[in-house]
Amino acid sequence: PVFAKAYNPSEVHFMSDDCENRNEPRKVLMCTSEHFSIIDVKNIYMQGQKGNVNVDRANVQWDAIRNSKKKKKNQKIIDDVLVIDGIEGMEDMVFIANQSFPWVMWNGEKIAIMSRMRHENRQNEIPYVEDFYKDHGYKIVELQSKYHFEGMGDMIAHPGKRLLYGGYGFRTDRAAYDEIARIVDAPIITLELISEHHYHLDTCFLPLNHSEVLIAPDAFTPESLNIIRRMFEGVYEIPEEEAIEGFACNAHMIYGQNKNSSAALVQRGNPVSLNILQQSAAQVLEIDTTEFIKSGGSVFCLKMMVYYQESRFCRTSL
C-alpha cells in the first residue's frame, strides 16, 4: 500500500499509477503588483537589485499575465481568474504561490495549509491570504510543528494524482513534510535541493503531464534525481542558463484532460524549454516577467491554482 507519509527517495516503493486519481483545480488566483519592490536580499537573484524594480514595467508585465489567463478562461481552459489586492509594505506578496497550499480531501472538503515562511517579513502576508480561503469555504490548517514550509513554492502535486513532491534545503525544512503528509492524507516524495539558484522546487521542477517533467538537474542530489527519473517516463533536462536566467521551470502549466486542453505560459527567450512545452500543450504563450525575475520569481510564482466557491468578498479580475 501507498501510505500517507513523507518518503525519502530510497523509501519509495510505488509508482504514480499506484496513487489515487485527483481532479486538478481550474481557477487561478493572483495578487496585484502595485506594491512589489526589492528592499532586501532573500535569494541569490536579489543580490544587487535593491531598489532596482521598475514598478510601472512590473505592473504592465503583471497585467499581461492576468490578461493571458483571462483569454484561457474565455477558451474554457480554466474556469476563472481571481485577484486579491496586494498590501502596502508586503513587497513580495505578489508571489502568491508561496503563502499557502490548497488541497481537497477525500470527502471533498477544501483545506488550505498556511505556510510558515522562513523570512519574518514574508510571514506577515499570511493573514491576508488566509482571509481569501476563509471567504471561499476552506478549512484553514496551521502547522503545529516549528518547521518552515513555503507552500506551493516547494510542494508540487503530480498531475491528476494524490501524490506530492516536497522540495527542501533552503526555504522549507524536510521535517515539515511529516506533518503535512498526515494533514493531506497523501504520500509526499521529498526532494533535496542543493543549488542556491534553485531555492524553491518551483524553480527547477515542472511536471508537464502525468508522465513527463521538465527539470534543472543541477538543482538536485543524485538520490533526488534518481527518484524523479523513476516517477516520470519522460524527464527533460533543460540547459542551466534557461533554468537560471530564463526561469523556464517556473512556467505555468495548465493541465487539461489531454494535450489539446492543456496550455502553458513561460518566460520568453527559452528556446529549448519552449520546444518541449510545445510538445506537451496545445497552446504555449511566451511572456515577459523580467522585473519579477530580479526578485527570483516568474510565471508560476505569480499565481495559485485554487478550488473555490462564489464569494462576495473576493473580486474577480474581470
Side-chain angles (χ1 to χ4, degrees):
V2 182
F3 296 109
K5 60 166 279 188
Y7 290 84
N8 295 320
S10 61
E11 299 174 312
V12 178
H13 61 277
F14 55 87
M15 300 299 289
S16 60
D17 284 339
D18 298 321
C19 301
E20 295 291 331
N21 292 336
R22 173 184 59 87
N23 292 325
E24 291 287 338
R26 289 179 52 86
K27 284 107 180 165
V28 178
L29 175 65
M30 297 182 68
C31 175
T32 59
S33 59
E34 68 269 29
H35 301 297
F36 170 58
S37 64
I38 299 175
I39 64 170
D40 57 9
V41 176
K42 299 185 183 76
N43 61 59
I44 194 171
Y45 298 96
M46 301 171 88
Q47 292 177 0
Q49 297 289 0
K50 285 174 62 174
N52 198 31
V53 170
N54 183 323
V55 178
D56 290 339
R57 186 179 298 138
N59 289 334
V60 168
Q61 292 177 359
W62 187 93
D63 284 338
I65 297 170
R66 179 193 56 184
N67 291 336
S68 70
K69 295 185 193 303
K70 282 186 190 179
K71 291 178 182 177
K72 298 294 175 277
K73 177 188 175 182
N74 294 337
Q75 297 165 345
K76 302 190 183 311
I77 290 175
I78 58 174
D79 287 348
D80 213 345
V81 183
L82 295 170
V83 174
I84 60 175
D85 292 321
I87 305 297
E88 188 172 0
M90 310 274 176
E91 71 282 351
D92 295 317
M93 189 171 162
V94 68
F95 297 117
I96 197 68
N98 300 151
Q99 303 92 342
S100 66
F101 187 85
W103 189 249
V104 174
M105 303 301 290
W106 297 93
N107 61 1
E109 180 184 37
K110 301 192 303 296
I111 69 169
I113 303 172
M114 305 314 296
S115 297
R116 182 167 283 130
M117 310 291 279
R118 187 165 290 275
H119 295 97
E120 187 175 346
N121 59 344
R122 290 218 64 186
Q123 187 64 23
N124 296 330
E125 303 162 17
I126 303 296
Y128 300 97
V129 179
E130 189 174 306
D131 284 345
F132 165 83
Y133 288 113
K134 287 178 178 176
D135 290 345
H136 291 86
Y138 280 75
K139 176 186 175 183
I140 303 298
V141 180
E142 307 278 358
L143 295 178
Q144 298 304 301
S145 65
K146 64 183 183 298
Y147 302 110
H148 292 113
F149 169 63
E150 298 213 345
M152 203 171 280
D154 265 330
M155 192 162 74
I156 296 174
H158 194 106
K161 289 292 180 179
R162 299 186 70 83
L163 169 65
L164 296 157
Y165 299 91
Y168 71 94
F170 292 94
R171 296 294 189 83
T172 296
D173 296 320
R174 164 63 180 81
Y177 292 119
D178 295 320
E179 180 182 358
I180 294 168
R182 292 191 296 271
I183 293 169
V184 299
D185 197 17
I188 301 174
I189 297 175
T190 59
L191 303 173
E192 185 175 3
L193 305 175
I194 56 173
S195 165
E196 61 184 348
H197 286 99
H198 302 299
Y199 61 94
H200 271 159
L201 185 62
D202 67 9
T203 67
C204 52
F205 178 84
L206 176 67
L208 303 174
N209 50 49
H210 174 62
S211 61
E212 297 176 306
V213 66
L214 195 72
I215 67 166
D218 291 352
F220 301 100
T221 62
E223 294 79 13
S224 296
L225 269 181
N226 286 340
I227 194 61
I228 292 170
R229 291 181 179 128
R230 258 189 61 200
M231 300 307 291
F232 292 90
E233 294 173 25
V235 178
Y236 304 109
E237 300 183 2
I238 63 169
E240 188 69 355
E241 63 267 20
E242 291 196 11
I244 292 177
E245 297 168 20
F247 264 67
C249 286
N250 203 250
H252 178 197
M253 192 78 197
I254 302 170
Y255 305 111
Q257 295 298 316
N258 50 50
K259 176 182 175 179
N260 292 333
S261 57
S262 300
L265 279 70
V266 63
Q267 168 63 30
R268 69 188 184 197
N270 291 300
V272 175
S273 303
L274 178 66
N275 181 262
I276 296 167
L277 289 168
Q278 287 171 335
Q279 308 305 312
S280 300
Q283 301 179 34
V284 182
L285 178 65
E286 290 186 279
I287 204 151
D288 186 11
T289 63
T290 47
E291 290 304 309
F292 299 100
I293 286 176
K294 293 174 183 177
S295 191
S298 184
V299 195
F300 187 99
C301 295
L302 294 167
K303 67 91 193 69
M304 173 63 81
M305 297 300 293
V306 296
Y307 306 85
Y308 89 112
Q309 295 170 331
E310 292 295 337
S311 167
R312 61 189 176 87
F313 297 107
C314 181
R315 64 183 177 86
T316 69
S317 64
L318 302 178

